């Protein structure tokens, strides 16, 4: 399978590693949206978050924390936004799960998660809630 992130894991494409463990690799994004913008991937190809096993999900959470600690130690940002684009509708371009770690700096002009989308349902929240019961 042709996958740029699998090529990074295999070493055929170079990367600037931020953190790694047995199962996860974090490296600097080549088109950074912030100083220290890092992407964290499972070393095994996984299309998206939805296909992870429970064990992989736990490992991912720990790897995110470790990568954030490394960025904190090296660049001392004031905060972070952390998340991933899940599937093309969510903005995912590279079809190998990757978590974006955006270091944030006071006054950097960026927004919050709420700036990603503003398209609420026409259905009132209390009506929508009935579907979840
Ligand atoms: P997404 O839009 O969530 O699929 O994000 C893909 C990200 O991967 C983008 O931020 C790209 O800049 C980044 N990216 C693509 N190729 C590479 C590469 N070879 N090394 C580092 N980052 C990359
Ligand atoms: Zn891959």
């Amino acid at each position: 399978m042709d996958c740029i992130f699998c090529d990074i894991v295999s070493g055929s494409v170079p990367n600037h590693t931020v953190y790694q463990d047995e199962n996860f690799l974090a490296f600097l994004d080549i088109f950074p949206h912030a100083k220290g913008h890092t992407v964290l991937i499972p070393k095994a190809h996984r299309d998206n978050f939805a296909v992870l096993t429970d064990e992989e999900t736990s490992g991912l959470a720990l790897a995110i924390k470790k990568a954030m600690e490394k960025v904190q130690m090296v660049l001392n940002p004031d905060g972070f936004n952390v998340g991933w684009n899940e599937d093309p509708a969510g903005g995912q371009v590279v079809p190998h799960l990757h978590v974006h770690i955006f270091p944030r700096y006071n006054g950097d002009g960026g927004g919050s998660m709420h700036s990603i989308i503003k398209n609420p349902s026409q259905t009132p929240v209390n009506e929508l809630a009935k579907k979840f019961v």
Side-chain angles (χ1 to χ4, degrees), residues 45-51 83-98 100 116:
H45 183 96
R46 298 287 181 265
D47 289 344
N48 59 20
F49 184 75
V51 302
W84 62 96
N85 300 323
E86 179 88 343
D87 298 328
Q92 183 178 3
V93 174
V94 177
H96 179 139
L97 170 65
H98 50 285
H100 291 269
I116 295 173

Side-chain angles (χ1 to χ4, degrees), residues 20-121:
Q20 65 178 318
D21 62 26
E22 191 185 344
N23 298 313
F24 296 93
L25 172 67
F27 51 90
L28 294 176
D29 195 295
I30 36 165
F31 300 115
H33 280 241
K35 185 170 77 173
H37 177 183
T38 295
V39 286
L40 172 70
I41 64 172
K43 289 182 175 176
H45 183 96
R46 298 287 181 265
D47 289 344
N48 59 20
F49 184 75
V51 302
L52 296 187
T53 64
D54 289 357
E55 195 181 344
E56 289 168 340
T57 304
S58 301
L60 178 66
L62 184 59
I64 291 169
K65 187 155 192 287
K66 297 286 184 189
M68 289 172 69
E69 286 170 356
K70 185 70 183 288
V71 173
Q72 186 68 48
M73 194 176 72
V74 174
L75 297 173
N76 198 31
D78 300 303
F80 288 94
N81 295 110
V82 180
W84 62 96
N85 300 323
E86 179 88 343
D87 298 328
Q92 183 178 3
V93 174
V94 177
H96 179 139
L97 170 65
H98 50 285
V99 176
H100 291 269
I101 298 174
F102 296 101
R104 296 298 302 271
Y105 303 89
N106 292 332
D108 64 13
S112 72
M113 289 284 176
H114 294 72
S115 57
I116 295 173
I117 178 73
K118 188 72 176 175
N119 182 32
S121 168

Side-chain angles (χ1 to χ4, degrees), residues 2-17 25 27 30:
D2 195 22
C3 172
I4 181 72
F5 287 171
C6 284
D7 290 345
I8 285 177
V9 172
S10 74
S12 59
V13 170
N15 76 92
H16 301 289
T17 300
L25 172 67
F27 51 90
I30 36 165

